Amino acid sequence: FLATPGLDQIPQLVAQAESAGLTVEFGSFGTPATVPVGLSLSAYRVVQEALTNTIKHANADRVDVRIRYLAHSLEVEVTDDGAGRAATSASAARSGFGQVGIRERVAVHGGELELGPRADGYRVRARFPLGVGPAAEPTGPATEGLAK
């Protein structure tokens, strides 16, 4: 019986990237929150795919992996110092299922995704909402000025 991979296994992904020759900085920030199993798996898969793309396509030397526990969301971010070719190479254009999978995993949780080349490499940042649903208190302009 194998446990479902999740946030707790991201250090193993970091170790695999290091064994592939990358210099990896890893950090977890904020107070770890209880994260549903499905969301934890999706966050793990986003990091896994981003690291795989970095190894296969980016020609990078360094990669930075961060997990951020924010007030109402979980954020995972992978940035590298490569050429950003993952989004533009012919091989990525032909097979691009990894980025499609990332988009689908983030969308199923109502999250936000930012991915693409930057001046100094490539970034994949996914933010997953925590504690949302029918019981969650609404926030934003529609509730401003309402008595609590």
Side-chain angles (χ1 to χ4, degrees):
F1 167 69
L2 294 175
T4 302
L7 292 166
D8 292 343
Q9 286 78 37
I10 289 178
Q12 286 89 342
L13 293 177
V14 167
Q16 291 170 2
E18 288 172 332
S19 70
L22 289 170
T23 299
V24 183
E25 292 288 328
F26 172 66
S28 180
F29 305 92
T31 302
T34 302
V35 176
V37 171
L39 194 150
S40 183
L41 171 62
S42 290
Y44 172 90
R45 294 289 188 217
V46 167
V47 172
Q48 183 180 43
E49 185 62 36
L51 287 173
T52 298
N53 286 345
T54 296
I55 292 165
K56 287 184 176 181
H57 305 293
N59 194 29
D61 296 316
R62 301 183 54 81
V63 66
D64 186 26
V65 179
R66 294 176 186 247
I67 302 170
R68 294 183 187 95
Y69 294 92
L70 305 170
H72 301 289
S73 60
L74 169 74
E75 186 176 274
V76 293
E77 180 178 48
V78 179
T79 55
D80 68 53
D81 68 350
R85 294 182 303 165
T88 58
S89 72
S91 65
R94 281 196 303 271
S95 64
F97 297 117
Q99 289 188 359
V100 169
I102 288 173
R103 288 182 195 285
E104 289 173 353
R105 288 182 186 283
V106 173
V108 77
H109 296 286
E112 300 171 15
L113 178 65
E114 174 188 341
L115 74 129
R118 305 177 328 152
D120 58 347
Y122 199 87
R123 172 189 297 157
V124 175
R125 181 189 303 160
R127 182 175 289 182
F128 299 93
L130 295 175
V132 296
E137 184 175 316
T139 59
T143 61
E144 286 178 13
L146 295 179
K148 299 225 177 205

